[in-house]
Amino acid sequence: MSPNKEVKRITTNTLQKMKAGGEKISMITAYDFSFGKIFDEAGIDIILVGDSASNVFAGHETTLPITLDQMIYHASAVVRGIERCLVVVDLPFGSYQSNSEIALASAIKIMKESGAHSVKLEGGEEAIDSVKKIISAGIPVMGHLGLTPQSIYKFGTYNVRAKEIEEAEKLKRDALLLQQVGCFAIVLEKIPAALAKEVSESLSIPTIGIGAGGGCNGQVLVMHDMLGINTEFKPRFLRQYLNLHDEITSAVQKYISDVKSSDFPNKSESY
């Protein structure tokens, strides 16, 4: 982007207008400056600095181990690379569940130290005090319902959520509750498409789906999955747009070969 060109920033208000106008919202995860800059310049609406960094960056089995300071490190790197998109940061496990005062302190720390624009946290009624407290301080909150990865040990599986009537009804109630207390959007993860469509149509705020069908107001994917860097994770909802794992492997092998054969560097690459 040229430094003189005025950049129209995406805000929570922009997303509201997009939903009202029927324009779908694009969201992707990023965890560093370089990819944040690429995605922003490509025209993405929202970057989520996800606690999935625990998996794709640190190699943990779950999202639980990542700390608040580690999330801030990733978020601040992303923020330095963006000019126009909205940056949402996951509140990591343990930073908001115990009480609303701790939740607010965590959210404030993220906003002050990373420069991000909003936070995301998992859960409905059980997290509502924390959501209200954070919003009351002027910090925008994105909700997250359905499959909530921070609760993996409670559920014991990453299977589709809310297939049973009781859980589906609770999800509908939770979505309305999150809207009532002031969430600007809600991620719906791995729930039946019909339920996601019903919830999306019942709300005035946007829904962002992942494994929740095309009836949501937007979609999100983890960059490592979508770009084919991570080859182990291949759920039905994932569309892989590149196979970077093989492309990078091939490039590095060519580099190794060129070094070993003394082909690199050649005269034009030397001083």
Side-chain angles (χ1 to χ4, degrees):
M1 287 184 186
S2 70
N4 300 323
K5 190 177 178 185
E6 191 177 335
V7 176
K8 191 167 173 59
R9 283 195 172 274
I10 305 283
T11 66
T12 56
N13 188 47
T14 312
L15 302 178
Q16 197 71 46
K17 288 176 179 172
M18 289 171 77
K19 166 150 182 161
E23 181 184 350
K24 296 283 190 176
I25 298 162
S26 60
M27 178 161 129
I28 193 170
T29 67
Y31 315 92
D32 65 17
F33 170 82
S34 300
F35 276 106
K37 191 170 192 295
I38 291 168
F39 298 158
D40 186 61
E41 290 177 348
I44 203 80
D45 297 315
I46 307 172
I47 287 179
L48 170 65
V49 183
D51 57 4
S52 43
S54 181
N55 311 105
V56 297
F57 255 81
H60 293 297
E61 188 181 350
T62 71
T63 60
L64 273 59
I66 199 162
T67 66
L68 189 63
D69 284 337
Q70 287 167 340
M71 287 302 302
I72 290 167
Y73 169 81
H74 285 289
S76 57
V78 168
V79 168
R80 285 191 285 271
I82 66 105
E83 288 187 36
R84 44 161 300 285
C85 72
L86 186 82
V87 178
V88 183
V89 183
D90 269 332
L91 280 169
F93 179 73
S95 69
Y96 64 92
Q97 287 93 341
S98 52
N99 68 54
S100 60
E101 295 292 340
I102 288 173
L104 177 58
S106 301
I108 288 173
K109 188 172 166 68
I110 283 176
M111 299 293 281
K112 281 176 73 75
E113 295 183 20
S114 76
H117 312 126
S118 56
V119 299
K120 178 169 79 65
L121 56 85
E122 296 179 2
E125 188 179 3
E126 59 281 359
I128 215 71
D129 288 344
S130 293
V131 174
K132 280 171 29 180
K133 194 85 172 174
I134 295 167
I135 291 171
S136 71
I139 299 171
V141 173
M142 177 180 278
H144 184 149
L145 298 172
L147 176 64
T148 46
Q150 290 180 11
S151 304
I152 181 56
Y153 291 123
K154 174 184 169 186
F155 295 133
T157 172
Y158 287 110
N159 289 346
V160 175
R161 304 302 314 169
K163 288 200 290 188
E164 306 300 325
I165 290 173
E166 190 179 340
E167 193 179 344
E169 290 300 322
K170 181 185 183 318
L171 189 141
K172 288 191 268 189
R173 289 195 305 272
D174 282 343
L176 285 168
L177 197 54
L178 288 172
Q179 175 176 272
Q180 283 165 11
V181 298
C183 282
F184 71 88
I186 302 174
V187 167
L188 299 175
E189 180 168 359
K190 220 165 177 191
I191 65 173
L195 175 62
K197 185 172 188 290
E198 183 185 345
V199 170
S200 301
E201 289 172 354
S202 75
L203 299 175
S204 60
I205 60 172
T207 60
I208 311 290
I210 177 165
C216 296
N217 305 117
Q219 298 293 328
V220 60
L221 285 175
V222 171
M223 58 162 280
H224 289 69
D225 302 335
M226 188 269 269
L227 295 174
I229 300 170
N230 172 14
T231 56
E232 292 81 40
F233 187 64
K234 290 185 178 171
R236 184 197 300 187
F237 66 76
L238 173 63
R239 183 177 296 180
Q240 192 178 300
Y241 286 82
L242 271 179
N243 186 347
L244 275 186
H245 177 275
D246 288 1
E247 298 232 2
I248 292 168
T249 301
S250 173
V252 173
Q253 287 173 340
K254 182 72 171 74
Y255 167 64
I256 293 166
S257 170
D258 289 351
V259 170
K260 299 281 189 189
S261 67
S262 298
D263 180 73
F264 175 80
N266 60 30
K267 283 186 179 177
S268 68
E269 292 159 335
S270 304
Y271 296 95

